[in-house]
Amino acid sequence: MTKHIFVTGGVVSSLGKGLTSASIGMLLEQRGLSVRMQKLDPYINVDPGTMSPYQHGEVYVLDDGSETDLDLGHYERFTNSPLNRHSNYTTGQIYLSVINKERRGEFLGQTVQVIPHITNEIKAALAMPAGEGVDVVITEIGGTAGDIESQPFLEAIRQFSLDAGKENCLYIHLTLVPYLKAAAELKTKPTQQSVGILRQIGIQPDILICRTERSLSRDDRAKIALFCNVPVEAVIEEKDKDFSVYEVPLSLVEHGLDELIVRKLGLKAGPLKLEQWRDLLHRLRNPEHELSIAVVGKYSEHRDAYKSIYEALDHAGVAHRAQILIQRIHSEAVEREGPERLLAGVDGILVPGGFGERGIEGKVDAVRFARQRGIPFFGICLGMQCAVAEFARNVMGLERANSTEFDKNNPHPVICLLDEQRTITDKGGTMRLGAQPARLTPDSRAATCYGTLDISERHRHRYEFNNVYRPKFTEHGMQVAGTSPDGILVEVVEIPSHPWFVGVQYHPEFKSQPTRPHPLFAGFVGAALKRHPARTEPGGGDGGA
Ligand code: GLN
């Protein structure tokens, strides 16, 4: 019998519900349990694939091609829970499914309503990841208790325990306990009110996790326990972590969260194995080198727009015992101020993915700077496409060469629409998406990094390398280092004469874990480190000049 944990949030958004849920998943896995992670999002978009990164941060892509919320990235970095399209549902998806059923006549004769039709659909979604061999499903409910949009989800998780049995469900509420400087004390009232909202709709949280900047005293916890109707041991402190998100699980263990969950759900769990995780934190805390890596993006001012890229760089840094100082550089700033001013001191340049014309020329300038100066370069998706355009313009002499995404009538369309995309008009879920196999060229840099020739990586694009130009690129020194297994779609390009210049059409950042960094990120950071062997002390070296 699979057990269910529901994680809700209160008081404010951005409390780190995703990280907390991922941490719980990781702890239960490290106690030998089989865990599945799931997120329900209250917005009406069917998936976040159509949303701007400014609205919602990164769109996280799964193997099966689902375009999902970035919290699923935390789940995959912290746990080994296999994720698929049942791992992320939105209000839009739930309603779409109910409305389609109504049109097909499946509710013939009935008035279709939020309760029971929408809530039944949500309950079916909650049950999806459960089954044979799965010990626990952890479902995070997006939004905050009290939001109009979250109501059907909260109602559904309340009903769920009636069907599945109260003993098989656990409600965890993440809340904020703010510190008021003027009063010089922590305030528990917002937590009481948030739990009050949940209790009004029939949910009594079993465990409260309190985000706070100061430690809770025994009295604070006792007060919260009394007003929120939970035992004091179920009031768990989650103090802000300035250093690394990977500290969160360990601090929850300190407050006994894993044991509490195991006991409350009657799980048959083994002892907690934390050696690997402790080693990770030790490495993070004790770097031997310091590297400056520029990520030249077009959404750089948004903290979460390149979340998985920043994380993957950190993972590769851990592998090389290097602290990565990530410079978030806006490609429009490169256009305005020139690459010299913004990129002169860096050890590596990464140009990530994106859509639309704005900021493209700055990305192309950054590629040129990396190529000409021999600075390790890593281009991802749009970043690879910009590298191809830059090479065509400045090495092959194809003036103004570009992607047809930005210039439909370009005389040198070195990047063009994928054939399969030509007849597609709908925007949602219609790109080339998800895991696709690729074959690497023997002895290429990529093949050396992966240590194998057959790979599978996740994609999210409509445009591709234009094969008409392939011989010309090879002739001038940009090699195709990986293609689809039939040899047709270009997946990897490299400049062998450059210290490290690799562009990939896919998104390797989605498959990097802190204890298992992605081979290309590891290769890139390794090359950046080689460029600055003098830097052996964090904060020392040549100061990035
Ligand atoms: N806009 C480009 C395309 O659609 C690149 C996409 C991306 O970077 N994810 O092909």
Side-chain angles (χ1 to χ4, degrees), residues 352-356 380-383 385 405-406 431 460-464 505 507:
F355 297 82
I380 293 180
C381 208
L382 178 62
Q385 298 175 355
E405 180 179 358
F406 316 122
M431 284 187 245
R460 182 169 186 253
H461 65 122
R462 293 187 202 281
Y463 293 82
E464 61 162 332
Q505 185 55 79
H507 290 274

Side-chain angles (χ1 to χ4, degrees), residues 7-313:
V7 182
T8 56
V11 183
V12 292
S13 60
S14 305
L15 270 185
K17 236 181 311 136
L19 272 172
T20 303
S21 305
S23 300
I24 295 170
M26 174 270 186
L27 292 174
L28 296 182
E29 260 187 11
Q30 297 309 317
R31 293 200 60 164
L33 298 165
S34 162
V35 174
R36 295 290 179 279
M37 306 290 303
Q38 185 186 50
K39 168 128 197 235
L40 305 187
D41 276 308
Y43 49 77
I44 294 174
N45 302 61
V46 171
D47 61 47
T50 51
M51 277 192 245
S52 153
Y54 287 119
Q55 291 276 315
H56 201 67
E58 164 185 281
V59 175
Y60 190 81
V61 182
L62 305 182
D63 269 342
D64 71 359
S66 308
E67 296 173 277
T68 70
D69 184 81
L70 55 78
D71 276 327
L72 277 80
H74 294 311
Y75 303 167
E76 283 205 331
R77 287 187 282 272
F78 279 68
T79 76
N80 297 308
S81 161
L83 301 184
N84 58 33
R85 65 193 179 87
H86 300 302
S87 313
N88 193 194
Y89 284 90
T90 67
T91 294
Q93 215 169 316
I94 297 286
Y95 270 81
L96 186 65
S97 170
V98 170
I99 290 169
N100 283 338
K101 283 182 186 166
E102 186 275 333
R103 292 290 83 183
R104 288 198 299 271
E106 287 182 31
F107 306 118
L108 221 48
Q110 296 176 34
T111 307
V112 181
Q113 293 176 300
V114 173
I115 303 174
H117 300 93
I118 293 296
T119 46
N120 282 350
E121 192 73 21
I122 298 172
K123 284 193 283 179
L126 294 171
M128 272 302 175
E132 188 78 26
V134 177
D135 297 313
V136 187
V137 177
I138 300 173
T139 302
E140 174 190 348
I141 314 295
T144 308
D147 293 349
I148 290 177
E149 288 140 327
S150 311
Q151 294 286 0
F153 288 138
L154 295 176
E155 170 64 14
I157 63 170
R158 178 189 70 79
Q159 292 177 16
F160 195 87
S161 77
L162 294 178
D163 306 336
K166 282 202 176 354
E167 67 288 4
N168 296 317
C169 297
L170 191 77
Y171 296 89
I172 298 183
H173 190 56
L174 181 67
T175 162
L176 177 72
V177 180
Y179 178 77
L180 264 202
K181 260 204 202 110
E185 59 183 24
L186 288 167
K187 289 293 179 191
T188 64
K189 187 78 80 193
T191 297
Q192 297 172 35
Q193 286 176 341
S194 177
V195 171
I197 292 170
L198 284 181
R199 291 173 66 193
Q200 250 171 35
I201 57 174
I203 297 174
Q204 167 62 55
D206 298 293
I207 296 175
L208 297 174
I209 301 183
C210 304
R211 271 297 296 271
T212 171
E213 55 179 291
R214 310 245 167 157
S215 285
L216 301 179
S217 67
R218 175 90 200 163
D219 282 353
D220 292 326
R221 292 175 61 217
K223 187 168 171 193
I224 293 171
L226 180 67
F227 280 95
C228 298
N229 195 32
V230 297
V232 70
E233 54 155 19
V235 180
I236 305 278
E237 167 187 313
E238 187 185 319
K239 215 165 139 194
D240 296 354
K241 293 276 167 277
D242 302 328
F243 174 64
S244 166
V245 294
Y246 299 115
E247 289 179 291
V248 175
L250 294 187
S251 83
L252 294 174
V253 169
E254 269 170 40
H255 294 91
L257 182 63
D258 61 309
E259 193 48 42
L260 192 64
I261 293 174
V262 163
R263 215 175 53 236
K264 282 193 182 271
L265 281 175
L267 290 160
K268 283 192 194 62
L272 187 59
K273 292 206 185 82
L274 283 180
E275 297 77 26
Q276 225 191 2
W277 212 260
R278 286 197 204 284
D279 178 58
L280 166 73
L281 281 167
H282 176 78
R283 282 167 161 268
L284 271 169
R285 284 206 183 94
N286 300 287
E288 290 166 5
H289 318 277
E290 193 175 76
L291 285 177
S292 162
I293 304 281
V295 176
V296 184
K298 51 184 288 179
Y299 319 111
S300 296
E301 63 274 49
H302 192 292
R303 209 168 53 99
D304 287 337
Y306 305 111
K307 183 111 202 135
S308 295
I309 298 226
Y310 299 146
E311 292 295 323
L313 283 171

